[in-house]
Amino acid sequence: MTPLSATACAIARPRTDRGQGDRIALSAATSHGSHLRTEDVRVWLEERRQANDFRVERIPFDALDQWRFKPGSGNLGHRSGRFFTIEGLHVEERDGPFGDGPRREWQQPVIRQPEAGILGILCKEFDGVLHFLMQAKMEPGNPNLVQLSPTVQATRSNYTRAHGGADVKLIEHFFQPERVIADVLQSEQGSWFFRKVNRNMIVETVDEIEADDDFRWLTLGQIAALLHDDLTVNMNARSVLSCLPFPDCTPGALFSDTQLLSWFTGERSRRDVRAHRIPLSSVCGWKQGPESVEHEEGRYFRAVAVAVQAGNRERIQWTQPLFEAIGVGVVAFLLRDFGGIPHVLVHARADGGFLDTVELAPTVQCTPRNYAHLSTVDQPPFLGIVLNASPSRIRYEAVHSEEGGRFLNASSRYLVVDTNDTETPLDPPPGYAWASLAQLTELTRHGHYLNVEARTLLACLNALSTQPKGGA
Amino acid sequence: MTPLSATACAIARPRTDRGQGDRIALSAATSHGSHLRTEDVRVWLEERRQANDFRVERIPFDALDQWRFKPGSGNLGHRSGRFFTIEGLHVEERDGPFGDGPRREWQQPVIRQPEAGILGILCKEFDGVLHFLMQAKMEPGNPNLVQLSPTVQATRSNYTRAHGGADVKLIEHFFQPERVIADVLQSEQGSWFFRKVNRNMIVETVDEIEADDDFRWLTLGQIAALLHDDLTVNMNARSVLSCLPFPDCTPGALFSDTQLLSWFTGERSRRDVRAHRIPLSSVCGWKQGPESVEHEEGRYFRAVAVAVQAGNRERIQWTQPLFEAIGVGVVAFLLRDFGGIPHVLVHARADGGFLDTVELAPTVQCTPRNYAHLSTVDQPPFLGIVLNASPSRIRYEAVHSEEGGRFLNASSRYLVVDTNDTETPLDPPPGYAWASLAQLTELTRHGHYLNVEARTLLACLNALSTQPKGGA
């Protein structure tokens, strides 16, 4: 592959490109782009919404085209065998010092998509500043349909033979990348997906790029400003942006990297999570109707079907299933400075859909409605602190939606909340630890450390630290 | 947990302990230990062999105590449900640019052991030099029974309730480690185990340690000398030693770290490996007899049973199944200098038992006997170069055995062979890449990058670079 073609330079080079960090920092500090004002991005997004005749309608399962519940298993899948399936999942989880403590066990529907797709952002220097090519992309599950997405977001089915529509625009830049800034397989929602990963890529080019009206070049400073808007930067874009190798400008952290990794290894070792797929038709606690598969108590989510019409997507029209959220989520990091260095309280979270037991999650990640039937002591830890925080302590707040190609109206309030020693002692409860932003940024070079919600908040925190002043 | 207890030091510290690298290098350069000469380690190991009445006998499956083939699945397991099981595995693998190329499919027996155990080495300074506490440990599958092992090697079943024998000596130092040098979940043989990992730990102590005659404190220089002996340092010890954070004294590498990770991500993305467990009784191509489960053509390995008697292990006597190797393996890195910096040719290897598709393996890793029936062009790449290398090009060679608690007589010749531009061009074939030793060392901080054979060779290479002069 091209990035490792070395015949022209058979001598050693530095293992780290130190200039790259400075160029990323410069782009983050640049709130005026070379191509359009940040305010005009909002106008352009609205124009893209209007220019296309997007319609998303709920339909009963039996109106799905090419999708069917398979006889026997009852799993919902595409006739081609590609894209994704909705199946059942059985999870057993044990906690305690050696995975021999209290036991939980449950079943649920889950989305299985074993192929890794590509989420790629192309970037290029204009006027000496890195700009990132963002797409105005319609996804049927987004409450406002069109949001800012990576340059490309394509399942393997999209860019190979399974898809009947047009080729994925600009995908070729990610097959033979000239200069790679980030390239890592990252996980997605472990409570709704079974071990789903996507390849998160940031690639620099010096080529002339022909990009149509669905694309715009933006600085990181502009994207940072837009991350303060509700429902504007989609989940895939946030995930890819979280993998940017921002330089560490801080002199240290509360714990050394080795200590932090050791704590994480301990968390992954002590939890015993065993998840295996089961037929959708056998899932206990859920009921299937003509228009949805839903939890018997109405909690968590439901599987539904939609028909989509769109003018600028790869295919003109299609039908597909989606998971519809029940209630709005709350996703928050508690933030403290130690020695002047910002740290967040990460949670070692075990989800049935994680490939490897535990990933690092935000301090709080839940849908409060799912806990409404429980007493105060059974509410998720730290949720009260986040919900009751006075405005002066809220350092960041915006509503973002999740993966609009698979989830319908799945939105969460993302927050970063200042905290103090009374609420959050230096020695947090088991399963929680303080990590600096630089430590989390470095961990995004590798997969299965930060979950997708933590990556969203990391992208927002990096946006926060660049303190965009609007740029309009 | 203690390592993150921060109340006494609520200020930031450096993320990396730079002095630690120097202390490791000093121990590696010290070939005379404070406690005994390296030559006397060999004598002591032989004494331990003689001092205990170790006997390992093959028995038929129906002479196993507490182990049985379960009705229905035919899986072989312990009545307690703990330790491990022998089950069936079905693997489908597709290669090609997008996992849509040539397809392989097979079934095999596999060992499943879902609990992560602890492999831990305790170290301590004597006379200003770090010494590592190694155990003379009997494992029934080792050809010579007793080898040098980590301070502790314990399955979760060993150190919790499932085991009827004595407690694991010194295990308490790994529950509440004072000072962690390495702590990472690492994989084991992906062709024989289903997603097995162990927690590899190196922990420093300042306590007085009471260690009986099964234990000795050795410098890294002494262990390096012993790594040149056949069948002396066991697999678990080699794996843990490979995680030592040796400092990078080289100015760079052929490819930047980002390029190397990007290549690896590409390899993991393009391979499509789907493995799922099946009942042992349904495995095609294998036949079950009263004393073994073996391949119909006599290849790969066979499952057998043994009775063990030992004086110094946690239990006095027991029976258990083992996988017995067919033939001796060849495991080798091809080595080249680029810009004066040593690099090895790593192979992105897909095994059915890997948790995450692909791990980095040595250039050659195979049992030649399994390929004897194939033509020259179908032999594993680079095997001929390794087997035909003249003695002057062999930089390292020793026979090591694998996991003696699960495998019987599973030995491989481990080699490091100098190569040149004619044999191994700068642009290697797909699936191979050049990585510096420092890059590989850094990757051992994280799991699922280097497979256990690559980690053994990395430990040997680090031993090689310290050039031990014997120390006798």
Side-chain angles (χ1 to χ4, degrees):
Chain A
M1 285 176 66
T2 304
L4 291 194
S5 174
T7 38
C9 51
I11 45 166
R13 70 186 73 185
R15 287 174 52 192
T16 307
D17 178 355
R18 294 193 190 282
Q20 193 179 71
D22 294 339
R23 295 165 72 223
I24 289 167
L26 176 63
S27 182
T30 305
S31 54
H32 293 264
S34 295
H35 298 271
L36 78 170
R37 299 181 307 162
T38 305
E39 192 48 43
D40 293 338
V41 177
R42 300 171 179 126
V43 174
W44 164 70
L45 279 170
E46 188 54 36
E47 279 174 3
R48 299 320 298 159
R49 264 179 219 116
Q50 303 298 331
N52 294 280
D53 182 26
F54 294 129
R55 275 176 296 188
V56 177
E57 275 173 42
R58 286 162 196 259
I59 56 174
F61 290 125
D62 64 13
L64 281 166
D65 179 31
Q66 303 297 323
W67 292 82
R68 59 171 188 149
F69 292 99
K70 281 182 200 149
S73 69
N75 292 342
L76 182 57
H78 194 264
R79 280 176 196 276
S80 67
R82 293 254 166 167
F83 304 109
F84 62 94
T85 50
I86 297 178
E87 310 186 6
L89 187 70
H90 181 102
V91 186
E92 282 181 273
E93 195 187 308
R94 282 175 188 272
D95 204 339
F98 305 114
D100 50 2
R103 180 163 169 277
R104 295 170 59 211
E105 185 169 3
W106 73 93
Q107 299 188 337
Q108 63 168 87
V110 77
I111 296 177
R112 179 169 175 248
Q113 185 174 338
E115 307 168 333
I118 291 178
L119 309 177
I121 299 182
L122 201 59
C123 66
K124 181 177 157 114
E125 263 192 18
F126 296 96
D127 304 325
V129 177
L130 281 177
H131 286 61
F132 295 76
L133 188 60
M134 306 302 287
Q135 186 181 173
K137 180 140 187 120
M138 192 284 288
E139 293 171 305
N142 290 339
N144 55 352
L145 296 178
V146 176
Q147 295 187 10
L148 222 48
S149 85
T151 316
V152 306
Q153 51 183 51
T155 63
R156 191 187 276 165
S157 298
N158 282 143
Y159 61 78
T160 55
R161 64 196 173 193
H163 204 279
D167 288 337
V168 178
K169 292 173 192 165
L170 300 169
I171 186 79
E172 66 276 12
H173 295 277
F174 298 89
F175 294 153
Q176 300 281 337
E178 300 148 29
R179 181 167 179 169
V180 178
I181 294 176
D183 188 359
V184 55
L185 287 165
Q186 293 285 10
S187 67
E188 296 185 5
Q189 280 79 5
S191 51
W192 293 11
F193 284 120
F194 185 68
R195 301 180 181 172
K196 186 182 176 202
V197 293
N198 268 315
R199 188 173 177 183
N200 286 235
M201 301 180 80
I202 302 172
V203 167
E204 185 176 350
T205 185
V206 292
D207 293 346
E208 281 297 309
I209 302 297
E210 286 192 33
D212 65 27
D213 204 37
D214 285 333
F215 296 87
R216 290 291 183 270
W217 293 101
L218 303 175
T219 67
L220 290 178
Q222 292 184 291
I223 296 169
L226 294 162
L227 273 169
H228 287 72
D229 291 0
D230 289 349
L231 301 174
T232 299
V233 181
N234 84 354
M235 184 189 86
N236 291 335
R238 302 189 307 264
S239 172
V240 177
L241 291 166
S242 77
C243 301
L244 272 169
F246 274 92
D248 182 7
C249 306
T250 55
L254 189 58
F255 303 113
S256 74
D257 291 0
T258 299
Q259 286 177 306
L260 186 66
L261 287 175
S262 177
W263 167 78
F264 181 75
T265 300
E267 289 296 313
R268 205 167 244 179
S269 297
R270 78 179 172 88
R271 306 294 284 268
D272 189 3
V273 182
R274 301 189 190 186
H276 64 271
R277 293 180 291 129
I278 57 174
L280 181 60
S281 59
S282 76
V283 171
C284 293
W286 294 69
K287 59 185 179 186
Q288 181 162 347
E291 300 192 336
S292 71
V293 179
E294 61 189 338
H295 186 255
E296 283 173 0
E297 313 291 334
R299 285 196 281 272
Y300 310 121
F301 61 87
R302 54 184 163 242
V304 299
V306 295
V308 185
Q309 284 198 301
N312 73 340
R313 224 176 182 249
E314 293 93 43
R315 292 185 65 186
I316 302 303
Q317 62 177 26
W318 73 91
T319 63
Q320 70 168 90
L322 290 169
F323 273 13
E324 181 177 24
I326 306 284
V328 176
V330 174
V331 181
F333 264 137
L334 292 179
L335 179 77
R336 279 186 72 176
D337 274 9
F338 296 105
I341 300 161
H343 287 66
V344 292
L345 190 61
V346 292
H347 176 215
R349 180 182 171 103
D351 270 335
F354 286 152
L355 178 68
D356 200 359
T357 317
V358 156
E359 296 190 6
L360 296 177
T363 322
V364 171
Q365 175 191 323
C366 69
T367 299
R369 191 176 141 173
N370 291 332
Y371 297 86
H373 61 297
L374 298 175
S375 65
T376 310
V377 293
D378 289 326
Q379 296 296 312
F382 304 108
L383 177 60
I385 294 176
V386 169
L387 294 181
N388 300 323
S390 63
S392 65
R393 290 172 52 192
I394 296 175
R395 296 273 292 269
Y396 174 87
E397 180 174 14
V399 174
H400 297 299
S401 62
E402 312 298 335
E403 174 52 306
R406 299 289 175 269
F407 304 148
L408 181 62
N409 300 325
S411 300
S412 291
R413 275 176 72 207
Y414 279 86
L415 299 118
V416 176
V417 176
D418 273 325
T419 184
N420 54 47
D421 198 48
T422 311
E423 289 173 348
T424 51
L426 268 173
D427 277 323
Y432 293 83
W434 292 106
S436 78
L437 300 193
Q439 287 177 316
L440 296 186
T441 298
E442 186 160 315
L443 288 177
T444 62
R445 303 190 77 180
H446 311 285
H448 305 296
Y449 278 112
L450 270 69
N451 77 349
V452 66
E453 291 85 357
R455 296 201 306 280
T456 277
L457 277 177
L458 181 63
C460 298
L461 277 159
N462 281 329
L464 195 63
S465 63
T466 62
Q467 294 289 354
K469 297 295 187 295
Chain B
M1 285 175 69
T2 306
L4 291 194
S5 175
T7 37
C9 52
I11 46 165
R13 70 185 73 183
R15 288 174 50 193
T16 307
D17 177 356
R18 294 192 191 283
Q20 192 179 73
D22 294 340
R23 296 166 70 223
I24 289 168
L26 176 62
S27 182
T30 304
S31 54
H32 293 264
S34 295
H35 298 270
L36 77 170
R37 298 181 310 161
T38 305
E39 192 47 46
D40 292 338
V41 177
R42 298 170 180 127
V43 174
W44 164 69
L45 279 171
E46 188 53 38
E47 280 173 3
R48 300 319 300 158
R49 264 179 218 115
Q50 304 297 332
N52 294 280
D53 183 25
F54 294 129
R55 274 176 296 187
V56 177
E57 275 174 43
R58 284 161 197 259
I59 55 173
F61 289 126
D62 64 12
L64 281 167
D65 178 33
Q66 304 296 323
W67 293 82
R68 57 170 190 148
F69 293 99
K70 280 182 199 149
S73 69
N75 292 342
L76 182 57
H78 193 264
R79 280 176 197 275
S80 68
R82 294 253 166 169
F83 304 109
F84 62 94
T85 51
I86 297 179
E87 310 186 6
L89 187 70
H90 181 102
V91 186
E92 282 180 273
E93 193 186 309
R94 282 175 189 273
D95 203 337
F98 305 115
D100 49 2
R103 180 163 168 276
R104 295 169 61 211
E105 185 170 2
W106 73 91
Q107 299 187 337
Q108 63 168 87
V110 77
I111 297 176
R112 178 166 175 252
Q113 185 173 340
E115 307 168 331
I118 291 178
L119 309 176
I121 299 182
L122 201 60
C123 67
K124 180 178 159 119
E125 262 191 20
F126 296 95
D127 303 326
V129 177
L130 280 176
H131 286 61
F132 295 75
L133 188 60
M134 306 302 287
Q135 185 181 173
K137 179 139 186 120
M138 193 285 287
E139 293 171 305
N142 290 338
N144 55 353
L145 296 177
V146 175
Q147 296 187 8
L148 221 48
S149 85
T151 315
V152 305
Q153 51 183 51
T155 62
R156 191 187 276 165
S157 298
N158 281 145
Y159 60 79
T160 55
R161 64 196 173 192
H163 205 280
D167 287 338
V168 178
K169 292 173 193 165
L170 299 168
I171 187 78
E172 66 276 12
H173 295 277
F174 299 89
F175 294 152
Q176 300 282 337
E178 299 147 31
R179 182 167 180 169
V180 178
I181 293 176
D183 187 0
V184 55
L185 287 165
Q186 294 285 10
S187 67
E188 297 185 4
Q189 280 79 4
S191 52
W192 292 12
F193 283 122
F194 185 68
R195 301 180 181 171
K196 185 182 176 201
V197 292
N198 269 316
R199 187 172 180 184
N200 285 235
M201 302 180 80
I202 302 172
V203 166
E204 186 176 351
T205 185
V206 291
D207 292 347
E208 282 295 311
I209 302 296
E210 285 191 32
D212 65 29
D213 203 37
D214 285 333
F215 296 87
R216 290 290 184 270
W217 293 100
L218 303 176
T219 67
L220 290 178
Q222 291 183 292
I223 296 169
L226 294 163
L227 273 169
H228 287 72
D229 291 2
D230 289 348
L231 301 174
T232 300
V233 181
N234 84 352
M235 183 190 87
N236 292 333
R238 301 190 306 265
S239 173
V240 177
L241 290 166
S242 77
C243 300
L244 271 170
F246 273 92
D248 182 7
C249 305
T250 57
L254 189 58
F255 303 113
S256 74
D257 291 0
T258 299
Q259 287 177 306
L260 186 67
L261 287 176
S262 178
W263 167 79
F264 182 74
T265 300
E267 289 297 313
R268 204 168 246 181
S269 298
R270 78 180 174 88
R271 306 295 283 269
D272 189 4
V273 182
R274 302 189 190 185
H276 63 270
R277 293 180 290 130
I278 57 174
L280 181 61
S281 58
S282 76
V283 171
C284 294
W286 293 70
K287 58 185 179 187
Q288 181 162 346
E291 298 192 336
S292 72
V293 179
E294 60 189 339
H295 186 256
E296 284 173 358
E297 312 292 332
R299 287 197 280 274
Y300 310 121
F301 60 87
R302 54 184 164 244
V304 298
V306 295
V308 184
Q309 285 198 301
N312 73 341
R313 222 175 184 252
E314 293 91 44
R315 293 184 64 187
I316 302 303
Q317 62 178 24
W318 72 93
T319 64
Q320 71 167 91
L322 290 168
F323 273 12
E324 180 177 24
I326 306 285
V328 176
V330 174
V331 181
F333 265 137
L334 291 179
L335 178 78
R336 278 187 71 177
D337 274 9
F338 296 105
I341 299 161
H343 286 68
V344 291
L345 190 61
V346 292
H347 176 215
R349 179 183 171 104
D351 270 335
F354 285 153
L355 178 68
D356 199 359
T357 316
V358 157
E359 295 189 8
L360 295 177
T363 322
V364 171
Q365 176 190 323
C366 68
T367 299
R369 190 175 143 173
N370 292 333
Y371 298 86
H373 62 295
L374 298 174
S375 65
T376 310
V377 294
D378 289 325
Q379 296 296 312
F382 305 109
L383 176 60
I385 294 176
V386 170
L387 294 181
N388 300 322
S390 63
S392 66
R393 290 172 53 192
I394 296 176
R395 296 273 291 270
Y396 175 87
E397 181 173 12
V399 175
H400 297 298
S401 61
E402 311 299 335
E403 174 51 307
R406 298 290 174 268
F407 305 147
L408 180 62
N409 300 325
S411 299
S412 291
R413 273 177 71 208
Y414 279 86
L415 299 120
V416 176
V417 176
D418 273 325
T419 184
N420 54 49
D421 199 47
T422 312
E423 289 172 347
T424 51
L426 267 172
D427 278 322
Y432 294 83
W434 292 106
S436 77
L437 300 192
Q439 287 177 315
L440 295 186
T441 297
E442 186 160 316
L443 288 177
T444 61
R445 302 190 78 179
H446 312 285
H448 306 295
Y449 278 112
L450 270 69
N451 76 350
V452 65
E453 291 86 357
R455 295 201 306 280
T456 277
L457 276 176
L458 181 63
C460 298
L461 278 159
N462 282 328
L464 194 61
S465 63
T466 60
Q467 294 291 354
K469 296 296 185 296

